[in-house]
Amino acid sequence: MAVFRSGLLVLTTPLASLAPRLAPILTSAARLVNHTLYVHLQPGMNLEGPAQPQSSPVQATFEVLDFISHLYAGANVHTHLDVRILLTNIRTKSAFLPPMPSSVQNLAHPPEVVLTDFQTLDGSQYNPVKQQLERYATSCYSCCPQLASVLLYPDYGPGELSVEPLDVPLPSTIRPSSPVARSPKQPVRGYHRGAVGGTFDRLHNAHKVLLSVACILAQEQLVVGVADKDLLKSKLLPELLQPYAERVKHLSEFLVDIKPSLTFDIIPLLDPYGPAGSDPSLEFLVVSEETCRGGMAVNRFRLENDLEELALYQIQLLKDLCHEENEEDKVSSSSFRQRLLGTLLRPPHESPELPSCLYVIGLTGISGSGKSSIAQRLKGLGAFVIDSDQLGHRAYAPGGPAYQPVVEAFGTDILHKDGIINRKILGSRVFGNKKQLKMLTDIMWPVIAKLAREEMDQAVAEGKHVCVIDAAMLLEAGWQNMVHEVWTVVIPETEAIRRIVERDGLSEAAAQSRLQSQMSGQQLVDQSHVVLSTLWEPHVTQLQVEKAWALLQKRIPKTPSGP
């Protein structure tokens, strides 16, 4: 069976019977589709008979909302699938329902295969049913010209096809603000305009539940606040957050796919209230368990400003069954960013001038990031480590290649009585003085680079295949052409300051000043190939470094073996 990049899954079984079968259905679909899987809910549809099947509205009930949540939760097992449940035919209890679409809907990724859980009478890949399925899919959505079709049921084992409806309701995942008990069959109210907010970094299934519920509730306009600037500072590994424009692009594509009849107003969220706190036309706000208190704060703020409260709809968090010990147990962008640590983020540099048998890593990071400890861990795994600080000491030493040029540039009053350069006095001379600092770096950086190249030759002589240049100023010095990859160690600035104060005995102000004189973690990451962090326990850092090392071995060009 061919594997298709994108597919459309048409679910025809009533939801109560379908819920326990989601796992095998999604597993079968995941074998056939390797990127985007659109899901179209049409419970009760019959694909047998001569008449062309027509799309019909599905009443939005809390059972439907719960089903959507459970379907996205089940999709977490198949991490390669970008699942999108299409909401075009799901209608709320409302007096202002938009008409059912009469035209074919364009999707961001036109389906190449249409799948269904519809069970034929003979239990086989029944051709007339497949033809009806293809006709139905192409009448609703713009599909690829050579659309293939697959009936999923023949892939199931015996005993999996019971169509008896189950009386056990789906576990509740959506809670309206009203304390009145809700029943699964209770229709969901529709609203003209509403809002939802979040960071929406690396759009995942928990985001999709939040957005889908908001799209079902809204009939005309949905305002989507996307966290930016100050609201990102407290995020874990903010350096690895997707840029605002990229997050908005993915978000917009998803929203237009699932409900094109809505008007979407995607705006930067710069404070905890956003438009939900000030827009009088908004009627509801969708929040998660985690942000529910923020939603209540928004309502208090609205009341203080003589605005009506918003109806709050709270979404249960999705559990992440695959989380590591240092990750959250919910589906979270933070965990996805942690999983990027140690992986290759962009293609390595082409560096033909470097020794052909040596792969060079430039290791950098802000002061206090734990860069040197990472270097030692890499050394323990077999890397040849070049410490640029040690090379600097050699260059400054009497008789060293930088000694005389530095003394001539800055005068003999920077020397100890024994003729050794007093680096504290020299540092105080250049700190905060850009002209003096440039004079020093123009002398030192070329000298250290030359010494580093000599060390690379030594690494080759020792038979090493990986060399790590440990250099805080790697990028400032322009040494990218000396390495194949830049690896950056990141740490929150508050933690870096705490470490500098503890390690060097500086005041917090002095530590802060030191960091301000360096490139920020974000600036370093923007030019890096691999990112690491020492934020967690030492054994977690070790596992992270081992992961990075193992992935590195797979991409290092293999040296030809001897005769």
Side-chain angles (χ1 to χ4, degrees), residues 92 103 120 125 197 202 266 319 368 379 466 488 538:
T92 56
S103 59
T120 63
Q125 294 285 349
R202 292 175 174 81
I266 302 177
K319 295 296 182 183
K379 184 176 182 179
V466 176
T488 292

Side-chain angles (χ1 to χ4, degrees), residues 460-480:
V460 172
E462 293 182 16
K464 295 289 187 178
H465 298 298
V466 176
C467 173
V468 174
I469 302 177
D470 177 357
M473 306 299 283
L474 182 92
L475 297 177
E476 290 92 332
W479 292 347
Q480 294 94 321

Side-chain angles (χ1 to χ4, degrees), residues 337-368:
R337 291 195 295 277
Q338 284 177 251
R339 291 166 197 171
L340 288 175
L341 295 173
T343 66
L344 188 68
L345 302 178
R346 50 182 59 87
H349 293 146
E350 295 290 337
S351 301
E353 68 275 13
L354 294 174
S356 59
C357 56
L358 192 66
Y359 202 83
V360 185
I361 303 297
L363 182 65
T364 190
I366 64 172
S367 184

Side-chain angles (χ1 to χ4, degrees), residues 132-144:
Q132 288 283 55
L133 177 63
E134 291 169 19
R135 289 195 197 103
Y136 177 72
T138 53
S139 71
C140 296
Y141 305 102
S142 178
C143 302
C144 288

Side-chain angles (χ1 to χ4, degrees), residues 125-135 149-151:
Q125 294 285 349
Y126 186 44
N127 284 336
V129 171
K130 291 177 64 177
Q131 290 168 7
Q132 288 283 55
L133 177 63
E134 291 169 19
R135 289 195 197 103
S149 56
V150 177
L151 310 185

Side-chain angles (χ1 to χ4, degrees), residues 276-331:
S278 57
D279 188 340
S281 71
L282 296 178
E283 299 167 281
F284 74 85
L285 177 64
V286 177
V287 297
S288 69
E289 287 179 88
E290 203 173 50
T291 59
C292 187
R293 292 175 70 179
M296 290 188 285
V298 165
N299 270 340
R300 287 195 298 272
F301 185 78
R302 286 178 70 91
L303 289 174
E304 290 167 5
N305 290 276
D306 299 321
L307 295 175
E308 287 189 16
E309 287 185 292
L310 301 175
L312 295 182
Y313 285 80
Q314 179 185 318
I315 311 300
Q316 190 177 53
L317 297 172
L318 296 192
K319 295 296 182 183
D320 185 351
L321 302 179
C322 304
H323 69 93
E324 300 291 336
E325 63 170 301
N326 58 312
E327 296 175 351
E328 296 179 286
D329 63 356
K330 61 172 184 172
V331 175

Side-chain angles (χ1 to χ4, degrees), residues 51-344:
Q52 167 70 40
Q54 299 295 316
S55 182
S56 58
V58 175
Q59 174 69 60
T61 61
F62 282 99
E63 178 187 43
V64 170
L65 298 188
D66 290 333
F67 179 82
I68 288 171
S69 181
H70 286 288
L71 197 154
Y72 276 123
N76 280 326
V77 177
H78 309 288
T79 54
H80 69 285
L81 273 186
D82 174 10
V83 174
R84 304 180 181 196
I85 303 172
L86 301 168
L87 309 176
T88 308
N89 63 326
I90 297 178
R91 334 313 306 277
T92 56
K93 180 183 179 183
S94 172
F96 41 88
L97 283 175
M100 283 286 288
S102 57
S103 59
V104 175
Q105 180 184 340
N106 290 317
L107 299 171
H109 309 281
E112 301 164 330
V113 60
V114 57
L115 325 166
T116 186
D117 65 330
F118 183 80
Q119 184 182 7
T120 63
L121 293 176
D122 62 1
S124 67
Q125 294 285 349
Y126 186 44
N127 284 336
V129 171
K130 291 177 64 177
Q131 290 168 7
Q132 288 283 55
L133 177 63
E134 291 169 19
R135 289 195 197 103
Y136 177 72
T138 53
S139 71
C140 296
Y141 305 102
S142 178
C143 302
C144 288
Q146 301 301 318
L147 181 68
S149 56
V150 177
L151 310 185
L152 293 176
Y153 270 144
D155 291 342
Y156 294 178
E160 294 189 35
L161 298 182
S162 169
V163 294
E164 291 299 319
L166 302 178
D167 293 329
V168 180
L170 288 167
S172 173
T173 59
I174 318 297
R175 189 160 68 88
S177 55
S178 168
V180 178
R182 42 149 284 201
S183 67
K185 302 297 184 183
Q186 178 183 336
V188 174
R189 179 189 166 185
Y191 301 83
H192 288 281
R193 298 176 185 85
V196 65
T199 308
F200 301 115
D201 180 47
R202 292 175 174 81
L203 198 67
H204 53 63
N205 288 325
H207 291 143
K208 292 175 183 179
V209 174
L210 199 73
L211 293 165
S212 295
V213 171
C215 283
I216 288 174
L217 296 173
Q219 303 306 301
E220 295 179 10
Q221 183 185 40
L222 181 65
V223 177
V224 185
V226 180
D228 198 22
K229 297 184 179 177
D230 286 351
L231 290 187
L232 303 180
K233 289 181 179 178
S234 62
K235 298 294 181 184
L236 181 70
L237 300 170
E239 301 89 350
L240 289 174
L241 278 162
Q242 291 175 317
Y244 176 82
E246 188 175 346
R247 285 181 281 138
V248 167
K249 176 186 172 186
H250 295 310
L251 183 62
S252 179
E253 181 194 272
F254 174 79
L255 291 170
V256 171
D257 259 351
I258 67 169
K259 195 168 180 180
S261 62
L262 273 186
T263 298
F264 298 105
D265 188 9
I266 302 177
I267 61 173
L269 200 56
L270 304 176
D271 64 74
Y273 300 115
S278 57
D279 188 340
S281 71
L282 296 178
E283 299 167 281
F284 74 85
L285 177 64
V286 177
V287 297
S288 69
E289 287 179 88
E290 203 173 50
T291 59
C292 187
R293 292 175 70 179
M296 290 188 285
V298 165
N299 270 340
R300 287 195 298 272
F301 185 78
R302 286 178 70 91
L303 289 174
E304 290 167 5
N305 290 276
D306 299 321
L307 295 175
E308 287 189 16
E309 287 185 292
L310 301 175
L312 295 182
Y313 285 80
Q314 179 185 318
I315 311 300
Q316 190 177 53
L317 297 172
L318 296 192
K319 295 296 182 183
D320 185 351
L321 302 179
C322 304
H323 69 93
E324 300 291 336
E325 63 170 301
N326 58 312
E327 296 175 351
E328 296 179 286
D329 63 356
K330 61 172 184 172
V331 175
S332 160
S333 298
S334 299
S335 296
F336 292 158
R337 291 195 295 277
Q338 284 177 251
R339 291 166 197 171
L340 288 175
L341 295 173
T343 66
L344 188 68

